[in-house]
Amino acid sequence: MTNGTVAAVPDRPYTLLSCAVSIDGYLDDASPNRLILSGPEDLDEVDELRAAADAILVGAGTVRADNPRLLVRDPARIAAREAAGKPPHPLRVTLTATGDLDPAARFFTGPGTPVVYCASAAVPTAEKALPARAVVIDAGADLSLAAVLHDLHHERSVDTLLIEGGARILRDALAGNLADELRLAIAPFFVADPSAPRFGMPAAYPHTSANPMTLLSLRQVGEVAVHRYRLTNRPSPVPQN
């Protein structure tokens, strides 16, 4: 179903970006199978971040390529959310410029009803593809991420948002100064394939050598190095790992 439209204004949730990359900055390889970049220790920390978030956002390309469930895995964390009066899992959110999404994807199989923000031209396609599977929202002709974050915050009561990619969503969040923290896990191997997706797509980023991000921590988690950066001065409501 369609549920109104959104407007591009700056108000948004506290937003944390989380991604894993190879040592040369790739988010994946070019094979049809998902490249595993992190181990169980890192995935458990990401599960903790999911449990602390009101919503998780990924791009439609991630839904198609990785088929993620985007659910909290740890039963104790699910129970803690429910004890706090929250739903067992965060709201699942995606953006699509085309509306071309498979209703059988695990993103849509629950529990809970996900939200799909569409470019205006893609709304009819998404509504036809996803009857009773999602709330479909017209996010304007240009599918502005800023508008989506505003709608999540003001219309869907999302105060904390975890963005898990892919490459374009991460670029838009960082280049648009729409994120408060970045958690970057770096795997100890190379991909070295120019056809594979990379972190930090070309854009005009606000955090330059003259205005760098603030490194909060650097830790070994299993086999990966986890960097955590502060991007804004907003106080953090999420766990600091």
Side-chain angles (χ1 to χ4, degrees), residues 41-57:
E41 300 92 346
D42 180 59
L43 292 174
D44 184 65
E45 286 199 357
V46 173
D47 191 63
E48 184 177 6
L49 294 176
R50 287 182 178 182
D54 295 320
I56 305 173
L57 185 150

Side-chain angles (χ1 to χ4, degrees), residues 2 10 21 37 42 48 75 81 88 92 102 107 112 127 130 137 143 164 166 187 207 212 217 221 223 227:
T2 303
V21 299
L37 287 157
D42 180 59
E48 184 177 6
R81 285 180 59 90
R92 301 184 302 283
D102 183 356
F107 180 88
E127 290 181 326
L130 304 169
I137 300 174
L143 193 60
E164 296 191 21
H207 294 97
S217 63
V221 180
E223 296 299 317
H227 298 233

Side-chain angles (χ1 to χ4, degrees), residues 102-187:
D102 183 356
R106 296 196 297 176
F107 180 88
F108 297 107
T109 58
T113 303
V115 174
V116 176
Y117 288 94
C118 297
S120 298
V123 169
T125 301
E127 290 181 326
K128 183 178 179 180
L130 304 169
R133 286 288 195 175
V135 176
V136 176
I137 300 174
D138 185 340
D142 61 353
L143 193 60
S144 161
L145 181 60
V148 167
L149 298 191
H150 172 263
D151 187 76
L152 284 171
H153 186 50
H154 288 276
E155 302 300 327
R156 274 145 253 289
S157 302
V158 172
D159 292 325
T160 56
L161 175 68
L162 178 63
I163 296 180
E164 296 191 21
R168 289 183 178 85
I169 296 293
L170 293 169
R171 176 202 61 193
D172 291 351
L174 288 166
N177 205 24
L178 298 173
D180 301 288
E181 293 184 50
L182 168 64
R183 183 188 187 276
L184 186 67
I186 302 178

Side-chain angles (χ1 to χ4, degrees), residues 20-44:
V21 299
S22 65
I23 201 165
D24 52 344
Y26 286 89
L27 293 160
D28 201 348
D29 58 21
S31 74
N33 299 317
R34 181 184 179 188
L35 176 66
I36 303 302
L37 287 157
S38 59
E41 300 92 346
D42 180 59
L43 292 174
D44 184 65

